[in-house]
Amino acid sequence: MKRLFWAAGLCLLPWIVVLGTTLPDGYPAQHWRLAWTGFDAAEAFGLLATAWLLGRDDPRTPFAAIGTATLLLADAWFDVVTAGDDVVFSLLMAGLEVPLALACLSVAVPQRMPAHV
């Protein structure tokens, strides 16, 4: 499995160069509202699931927390890079999303190392 991840990651590098040199700076998107509300709904679900699992001391909590942190960091990234004229609002949103993502990651990281490590 490790080789698959290495190969996939390395294969993406030239693709990133192609995208960076060929994609237009702007592109009108369809279903923009649905994309963003759906993305935020996924974040809300992730936050609620993380809180619920955390409250139950469920061993699956780190998975929900990491997934939610990933969504929040991706949202912050796209908020900022697609901001246009709303850059201040986008930075404010990222200022909320990044700390929330860090809070999720703090839940996912074990507080103490197991004795056998």
Side-chain angles (χ1 to χ4, degrees), residues 64-75:
I66 289 169
T68 304
T70 302
L71 289 170
L72 288 163
L73 291 173
D75 193 355

Side-chain angles (χ1 to χ4, degrees), residues 1 7 41 43 46-47 54 80 93 109 112:
M1 190 65 74
E43 290 172 343
L47 288 165
L54 188 61
V80 173
M93 291 307 298
V109 175
R112 56 184 150 71

Side-chain angles (χ1 to χ4, degrees), residues 69 72-73 76 91-106:
L72 288 163
L73 291 173
L91 288 172
L92 287 172
M93 291 307 298
L96 295 173
E97 292 157 347
V98 171
L100 262 177
L102 294 175
C104 286
L105 291 176
S106 75

